[in-house]
């Protein structure tokens, strides 16, 4: 009888092809995992979904206070869906990439309308939610519902590229081959596999880091193909860091900050004080309106949506 996973990805080799790698990382995780609130059993699927939205391109230390305030104000999807989307943008604060707040609000509305207010546990249903892509859907299915799915973020991709493929880092885009490779590393038991997914992610975030990996602290250093090869440098072209100062993104952030802090509509004259260059300021404001983050109530009068 052929064994399959709940992810729909066939494991490479046997049902539990690399027990030493997973077992060692799981042992390390038991001793060194950070105490993060969305990992607590009582958090529930909604708290996990919120954390996954917030953690996209954002460090844990910035997410923690916003996540706690968010769950205190909106402990269920229905609580968020009942409020205007502008309140989600306001509560998002300075977390960055505020369109995520709109998508999370849209996801909450969809959960209420399609799933009676409960975050769905089916992978396809999760993928159908606004703002939920392959990574987020698999992460929620694994971490909230303890299902066996390959979950690949940048930390997992780097760890697997080094330990298994023997290279410094893999391509940024996750392919089906990557999903099959990581699925093959997971233990057969769904609960243990979900914990292993979190463990791989944690090891990549804390030990197998990009610039100065802590190889002596790694529980699988003697199994690592990259270490065995002499830790060769990456052959992936370096990505230039994104500039922020003076960009439209900075202007958008300042404009949105004024609107977020206001108790009512804001007139154009107030927004004009945010940035000296009028063409860039107008372009940034128009972009916020187009993205649905700002509503123009009347000529020269703006507010958060809703």
């Amino acid at each position: 009888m052929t064994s399959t996973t709940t992810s729909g990805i066939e494991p490479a080799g046997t049902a539990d092809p690399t027990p030493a790698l997973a077992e060692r990382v799981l042992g390390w995780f038991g001793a060194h995992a950070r105490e993060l609130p969305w990992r607590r059993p009582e958090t529930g699927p909604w708290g996990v979904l919120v954390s996954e939205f917030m953690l996209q391109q954002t460090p844990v230390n910035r997410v923690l206070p916003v996540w706690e305030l968010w769950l205190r104000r909106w402990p269920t999807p229905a609580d968020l869906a009942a409020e205007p989307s502008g309140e989600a943008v306001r509560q998002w604060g300075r977390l960055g990439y505020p369109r995520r707040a709109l998508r999370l609000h849209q996801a909450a509305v969809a959960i209420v309308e399609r799933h009676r207010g409960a975050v769905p546990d089916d992978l396809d249903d999760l993928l159908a939610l606004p703002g939920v892509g392959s990574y987020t859907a698999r992460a929620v299915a694994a971490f909230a519902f303890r299902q066996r799915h390959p979950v690949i973020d940048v930390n997992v991709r780097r760890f697997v590229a080094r330990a298994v493929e023997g290279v410094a880092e893999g391509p940024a885009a996750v392919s089906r081959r990557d999903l099959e490779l990581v699925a093959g590393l997971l233990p057969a038991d769904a609960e243990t596999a979900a914990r292993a997914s979190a463990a791989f992610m944690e090891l990549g975030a804390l030990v197998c880091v990009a610039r100065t990996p802590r190889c002596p602290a790694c529980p699988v250093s003697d199994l690592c193909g990259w270490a065995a090869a002499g830790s060769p440098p990456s052959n992936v072209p370096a990505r230039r860091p994104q500039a922020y100062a003076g960009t439209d993104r900075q202007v958008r952030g300042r404009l949105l900050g004024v609107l977020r802090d206001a108790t009512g509509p804001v007139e154009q004259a107030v927004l004009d004080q945010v940035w000296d260059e009028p063409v860039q300021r107008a372009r940034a404001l128009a972009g916020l309106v187009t993205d649905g983050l700002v509503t123009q109530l009347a000529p020269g009068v703006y507010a958060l949506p809703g």
Side-chain angles (χ1 to χ4, degrees):
M1 183 176 177
T2 302
S3 173
T4 59
T5 72
T6 57
S7 65
I9 301 292
E10 289 281 354
T14 64
D16 194 6
T18 52
L21 189 78
E23 286 176 9
R24 288 199 201 176
V25 178
L26 281 166
W28 172 88
F29 186 67
H32 300 283
R34 290 169 291 182
E35 179 60 35
L36 300 176
W38 43 84
R39 288 179 177 164
R40 297 171 188 159
E42 66 271 18
T43 294
W46 172 239
V48 174
L49 180 63
V50 172
S51 74
E52 291 299 338
F53 266 80
M54 291 184 173
L55 286 165
Q56 296 167 19
Q57 299 179 284
T58 308
V60 167
N61 63 339
R62 291 189 61 203
V63 167
L64 278 167
V66 181
W67 181 89
E68 289 170 350
L69 289 172
W70 190 283
L71 268 294
R72 197 175 304 154
R73 179 172 179 180
W74 298 308
T76 71
D79 294 320
L80 176 58
E83 297 235 30
S85 59
E87 287 306 301
V89 175
R90 193 188 310 279
Q91 189 70 46
W92 197 259
R94 302 187 183 279
L95 203 54
Y97 303 101
R99 275 181 286 186
R100 291 180 292 168
L102 287 181
R103 300 295 177 265
L104 186 49
H105 183 272
Q106 292 166 1
V109 172
I111 289 168
V112 171
E113 293 177 347
R114 303 174 195 170
H115 305 287
R116 300 182 179 180
V119 177
D121 62 359
D122 179 77
L123 187 64
D124 289 336
D125 287 341
L126 286 166
L127 284 166
L129 294 176
V132 174
S134 177
Y135 164 77
T136 301
R138 293 175 184 278
V140 173
F143 303 145
F145 298 106
R146 317 311 293 171
Q147 296 176 8
R148 189 184 190 277
H149 292 284
V151 182
I152 308 177
D153 73 345
V154 64
N155 295 309
V156 175
R157 186 71 189 89
R158 183 172 57 251
F159 164 65
V160 172
R162 290 173 177 173
V164 180
E165 300 175 290
V167 296
E169 60 181 315
V174 175
S175 67
R176 183 173 179 84
R177 176 185 173 277
D178 297 325
L179 292 171
E180 291 171 345
L181 177 60
V182 174
L185 301 176
L186 298 176
D189 172 69
E191 170 64 35
T192 310
R195 185 169 173 80
S197 290
F200 293 160
M201 194 173 297
E202 192 79 335
L203 188 69
L206 300 182
V207 175
C208 194
V209 296
R211 294 186 180 179
T212 53
R214 299 170 54 224
C215 294
C218 179
V220 297
S221 58
D222 61 320
L223 303 176
C224 178
W226 185 59
S231 304
S234 173
N235 58 7
V236 177
R239 284 174 285 182
R240 298 175 64 181
Q242 289 183 325
Y244 181 73
T247 63
D248 283 7
R249 186 179 162 213
Q250 183 183 25
V251 184
R252 284 164 60 102
R254 291 191 178 182
L255 291 167
L256 200 57
V258 172
L259 292 159
R260 190 175 52 241
D261 294 339
T263 57
V266 176
E267 294 187 0
Q268 182 75 57
V270 176
L271 296 175
D272 287 346
Q273 299 175 30
V274 166
W275 199 256
D276 290 338
E277 210 290 301
V279 174
Q280 187 180 25
R281 184 180 66 238
R283 183 172 64 241
L285 182 57
L288 290 170
V289 172
T290 300
D291 290 342
L293 290 163
V294 172
T295 298
Q296 184 173 9
L297 302 178
V301 182
Y302 298 88
L304 295 179

